[in-house]
Amino acid sequence: NPLPTPGAFGTMLACGGFVPRTMWRAPLLASTSAADFWGRRWNLLIHGLFRRTVFRPLTERGVPGWGAGAIAFALSGAFHEYAFALQQPAQRASFGRCLAFFLAQAPAVSAEKRLRRLLGVPPPFDRSSAACTLAWTLLLMPFAPLFLHPLKTSGTFATILELVPRLAVAVP
């Protein structure tokens, strides 16, 4: 159950009779593992949708959790391919990168869960969420360019920078 969204926008939604939902729970700063990042912190709306429509139906039909998770990641990768690369002819060079990024997440999450069941959480990770965040970030960082490539080559990052107000500093 996502918690109500704090802030002015959440308050406006609540005044209009809507129940605002938290979409992200500090995924980059508070995640303690890949499973925590994808399962409890990043894009909770899509996570809930895939849990209800992909993961749960597959596991109820006997597909192991790791297999259902891999299928959910593959579907997410296919969606991102459609949303990013396939819709823009100039993005054809990025074709397959988003899918590869999401396919790489499935074994990382599955391996982490299996190791945690077999070995527990080793020191210093059992005492430090910061150590966990740093370790899993370093482990998954090499895969980030696969996801970011279509955003970079499409000019999305440049557009975002144009929208962000800049502070001008007068130098005497």
Side-chain angles (χ1 to χ4, degrees):
N1 283 333
L3 302 172
T5 305
F9 187 68
T11 302
M12 290 187 321
L13 287 172
C15 288
F18 295 95
V19 178
R21 300 209 171 236
T22 298
M23 289 290 298
W24 287 273
R25 288 193 180 119
L28 300 176
L29 299 175
S31 296
T32 57
S33 67
D36 183 44
F37 178 87
W38 291 114
R40 297 183 338 133
R41 299 188 181 280
W42 184 261
N43 202 343
L44 299 174
L45 179 70
I46 297 302
H47 171 76
L49 173 70
F50 275 42
R51 186 163 195 72
R52 287 187 312 274
T53 62
V54 178
F55 188 84
R56 193 175 301 137
L58 288 172
T59 56
E60 287 172 355
R61 287 173 176 76
V63 175
W66 64 264
I71 291 169
F73 274 116
L75 288 172
S76 184
F79 169 78
H80 283 82
E81 287 295 329
Y82 172 77
F84 293 161
L86 296 178
Q87 294 303 307
Q88 303 170 32
Q91 292 297 99
R92 299 279 194 258
S94 292
F95 184 72
R97 292 176 190 235
C98 284
L99 180 61
F101 171 80
F102 283 99
L103 290 176
Q105 305 309 304
V109 170
S110 293
E112 172 208 323
K113 287 182 173 185
R114 179 134 175 92
L115 287 171
R116 189 175 296 233
R117 277 193 305 272
L118 292 173
L119 306 173
V121 180
F125 306 112
D126 60 343
R127 297 180 304 277
S128 171
S129 61
C132 293
T133 299
L134 179 63
W136 87 260
T137 301
L138 291 174
L139 178 68
L140 296 179
M141 186 72 72
F143 298 103
L146 293 170
F147 182 79
L148 298 174
H149 187 268
L151 298 172
K152 180 182 174 191
T153 58
S154 69
T156 301
F157 289 141
T159 302
I160 290 170
L161 287 176
E162 289 172 12
L163 297 173
V164 174
R166 291 185 177 79
L167 296 175
V169 178
V171 179

